[in-house]
Structure formats: C-alpha cells, structure tokens
Amino acid sequence: MKSETENSNEIDELSDKISGLKTQDAKHNNLQETQSDVKLIRIHDDEPVLSVTTFEELNLHPDVQKGVYEMGFTRPSKIQAKALPLLLRPQNMIGQSQSGTGKTAAFVLTMLSRIDLNLKAPQALCLAPSRELARQIMVEARKMGKYTPVTTAEAIRDSSNNNRDRNTIFKEAQLIVGTPGTVLDLIKRHIIDKKNIKIFVLDEADNMLNQQGLGDQSIKVKNLMPKDCQIVLFSATYEDSVREFAGRFAPHANEFRLKIEEMSVKNIKQFYMDCTDEEHKLKVLSELYSILTIHQSIIFVERRDSADRIAKRMTDLGHKVIDLHGGLSTTERDEVMDGFRKGSAKVLISTNVIARGIDVMQVNLVINFDIPVKRNEDNKIVADPDTYLHRIGRTGRFGRKGIAINLVSDNYSWKNLRSIQEYFERDITQIKLDDWDHVETFLKNEIKALDAA
Ligand SMILES: Nc1ncnc2c1ncn2[C@@H]1O[C@H](COP(=O)(O)OP(=O)(O)OP(=O)(O)O)[C@@H](O)[C@H]1O
C-alpha cells in the first residue's frame, strides 16, 4: 500500500513530468470563459435546481478545495456551477458544453468527492477515447487531489504503472482513468475489482458510445458496473442518434444541452484558404509559418501516412514540426505529446487522435489540412461537423482567443467545408492567397488582436 508521502511524491513527479508544462495555470485567474449558457432541459426529480457562484457553496472537502484553488481556479465555470450541485447529489448526468469550458474539472471533482478514503479499492472510473486524453485527465485529477490521499492508476496500454506490481496498484487504486479496451481487459481479468465503483464517467461520451470499437467496449464496461453506480457523460457534441442512446445508457439523467448554433466557440475565428492541390497546401503552410509568430499550433490531417508525409515535407522545407498518430508506439506517442506540452515543438501534425479533449493552452492556431469527414449510415463519406468542432476547439480554451484555418483544394473539400459552415451557422471567411503581403498583414493583425484580448 502506498504511503501518503509516496503518493504525494508520485503526484509531484508526474505533474512535473507531464503537465508541469501548463505554466499557464497561474493565468487562470485573469480569464473569463465566454461560453454560451448551457440549458438544463431535464431533471429526474422535483428538487430545486441550484447553481453556485463559488466553490465554497459546493461544500467540497477542504483538501479537494485546496487542490482546486492551487490550480488557479478562483470560481466555477458555467458548466461547473450548474452541473456540480446535481452531480454531487449524486445523480446521473448527460452533460454538454462547448470545448474548453471546464467539463473535466466538473467530473473530476465529483469523482474525488465520492471516494471513501478509508476504502482502498476502485470507486471512481473514467474512460476516455485516447491515451493522450486519459493521461491528461489523470494529471488534472492528481493535481486536484494533491491534498487528498487518494490512490490513482492509469489504465492505458504500456502505462508506467506497469513498472510496479500491476495487481496491487489496481487493487488499491480508488480513482482510475483509462481507455475502454484496457479497462475492460483489466476488469475481465479481475485485476480491477468493480464491485465498489460508485461513479462511472465517459468523457467525450458521444465518441465513446458511437464509434464501433470504443462504443462496444464502453458499453461492455458499463454493463459490468454495479447497478446503483452513478453514470456521468460529458461532451461538447451529441449527434441525435447518440443522444437517444445516451438517455438509455444513463437513465433518469439530468441533461445539459446546447443548441447547434451555440456549439461553436465564438472566440475562435474561422477562415479558409483556396488551394489548388496538396503541393499548394504545403507551400501555403510553409509560407504561413514563415510569416506568422504563433505560440503553438496543430495541423490536422485525415490519415496517418499523410501526417508522416506532411511532417517530412515541412521538415525538408526547414520547419521544426512533430507528428502524432495511432501508428506510433505508446512511448513515442507519450514523448511527442509531452514534448508539445512543454513547448519544445511549436507545430504538431496529427490525425484525429488528439482532436478531442486535449488541452494545451498555448495553441492559438489550428489548421485543417484536410477537412474532417466520416462515413454516414449509407456508408457514404460526408463532412464531419462534430470532429471539426472538436479539432478547432484545441484552441480558444477557457476564454482565450484562437484562429482556425481550413485548407480546401477541390470541389469535394469545398463542399464539405460548406456543409460544416451551414451546420453551425457560423461564418468561415476566405483569406485570398493572391497577395501574400496582404495575407501577412491581415493575419498579423488578427493575431495581434488575439494577443491583446
Ligand atoms: N473554474 C476554472 N477556472 C479556471 N480555469 C479552469 C476552470 N475550469 C477549468 N479550467 C481550465 O480550462 C481549460 C479547459 O478545461 P477542460 O479541458 O476541462 O475543457 P473541456 O470542457 O473538457 O473541453 P473539451 O470539450 O475540449 O474536452 C483547462 O486548462 C482547465 O484547467
């Protein structure tokens, strides 16, 4: 069993290693999130619906509250203010709010609050769609639980947990964050004992319930949970079909909904550039990075091989970039992500693997090298507005400003971007490429405006 000191050393080490990187924490005090109002559309009882304005009103354990304040959070965000009183009752929830509005803290605080510290057994379980996101949530949980002697474990493939006795770690871990396949495997092999689990969270819930592989595994994990387990689902997007299923997955849940036109974050300015082909897109990228001083940026592509190819071409053109996709080893993935968080590379080229949830405050530019697409029910490839929203949501976090630039190069990509624009009813403005001096002045002014804001 880990002593409190060991636990705390481990937290410090991990925070330094993975997230010490979030030097921006201290700046939280000055931030005003700009999210739309989330609307509570259903509660399952007649109790009055409370919303709080301070963390004190939530009656959190003083140690948990201390952790929250140390993270620089002075007051709850809108979704936290509305969701936490219901989550702490405890009640099931299907929560929706825009990207970067603090959903993680809402469910992490609930998980920490529900744990009986005297019981050294799994009690709070959270699933996330990628190892990068699971690791990030764990960092947030360990920071928030810094003064709470809660034992934690990451259930992801080849986790550093493996260096120690896996069985003991999972036997005693009160709070577990992992990816669905690994968690399912650990439960089936009785390495994670599920019987005391009181709260089960799906982050990026629509993705976790929808995607063939993940949906199947998440449902299997959920079916293994104790009957009275609190079910909490959070995401920025819910397609209608998923929402309907979510209602069955988390019965009698309080539900927060956003209207489609409220889903995209207003402080992310969206543009597009009309290119002729992939080669032209690469030249445009190269030009953009030569003229712009960006903090950090992410370039999203559709396929793993494109990520490698574009990274190589950008490197050949003299730019320092790194790339991340599911084809890398777990060690490589962790190194790339940690390096990006530390700021050792400014440009990350990635597939959708980090489209969701990833929170790197310094990212002020997202480029869609490929417009996101998906297969619809008829197996036809169509535009994917939800993935678009998640991708551009890697910037503009918690009230910060950001720029999203879409590169289109043919009728197909243009049509897909048009349908995304129509779906969200938001302007995506063209930046003409015929005069690069103009592009430079225009974008520099946009970035200056972001920095000043
Ligand atoms: N109450 C708060 N005060 C200040 N900062 C906060 C607060 N809550 C969350 N944050 C910060 O806001 C950022 C965004 O939060 P988070 O990652 O939870 O967003 P999210 O809603 O889960 O976004 P996404 O939909 O992209 O997953 C994080 O850096 C987090 O630390």
Side-chain angles (χ1 to χ4, degrees), residues 27 53 135 171 174 178 190 203-204 250 361 393 399:
K27 295 183 200 154
T53 52
R135 291 176 77 224
K171 193 165 157 251
Q174 294 159 318
H190 305 287
D203 193 17
E204 307 300 339
M361 285 282 194

Side-chain angles (χ1 to χ4, degrees), residues 22 25 28 55 71-77 80 97-105 136 140 203-204 235-236 356-359 361 390 393-394 397-398:
K22 284 196 187 173
D25 277 351
H28 281 153
F55 284 113
M71 291 177 75
F73 296 6
T74 47
R75 58 183 174 276
S77 67
Q80 291 159 9
S97 80
Q98 294 166 319
S99 54
T101 51
K103 294 184 285 293
T104 316
Q136 178 183 293
E140 184 130 346
D203 193 17
E204 307 300 339
S235 184
R356 284 171 172 262
I358 294 302
D359 182 59
M361 285 282 194
H390 287 279
R394 294 320 98 214
R397 316 275 305 155
F398 211 77

Side-chain angles (χ1 to χ4, degrees), residues 27-141:
K27 295 183 200 154
H28 281 153
N29 290 342
N30 306 324
L31 278 175
Q32 287 278 341
E33 34 135 19
T34 52
Q35 77 165 96
S36 305
D37 254 350
V38 280
K39 286 177 190 60
L40 177 63
I41 64 147
R42 193 176 77 201
I43 50 168
H44 66 82
D45 58 23
D46 299 328
E47 293 170 64
V49 182
L50 302 169
S51 174
V52 296
T53 52
T54 63
F55 284 113
E56 280 82 4
E57 287 169 75
L58 293 165
N59 291 322
L60 299 169
H61 190 283
D63 293 341
V64 175
Q65 198 163 302
K66 201 170 159 194
V68 172
Y69 284 141
E70 197 169 295
M71 291 177 75
F73 296 6
T74 47
R75 58 183 174 276
S77 67
K78 280 186 190 152
I79 185 67
Q80 291 159 9
K82 293 189 175 191
L84 275 162
L86 297 165
L87 285 167
L88 293 169
R89 268 180 191 178
Q91 291 174 353
N92 288 354
M93 176 157 297
I94 303 169
Q96 180 179 23
S97 80
Q98 294 166 319
S99 54
T101 51
K103 294 184 285 293
T104 316
F107 64 75
V108 164
L109 279 175
T110 312
M111 289 167 86
L112 287 171
S113 301
R114 300 225 50 212
I115 289 168
D116 170 2
L117 294 171
N118 296 317
L119 175 65
K120 297 283 179 211
Q123 296 171 60
L125 174 63
C126 170
L127 301 186
S130 67
R131 67 180 289 111
E132 286 74 16
L133 186 53
R135 291 176 77 224
Q136 178 183 293
I137 295 168
M138 186 49 101
V139 169
E140 184 130 346

Side-chain angles (χ1 to χ4, degrees), residues 48 66 107 127 131 193 287 304 354 423:
K66 201 170 159 194
F107 64 75
L127 301 186
R131 67 180 289 111
D193 178 6
E287 196 76 45
R304 294 171 182 184
I354 58 148
Y423 184 83

Side-chain angles (χ1 to χ4, degrees), residues 319-331:
H319 300 279
K320 191 168 182 279
V321 303
I322 46 175
D323 72 318
L324 177 63
H325 53 74
L328 303 182
S329 71
T330 51
T331 317

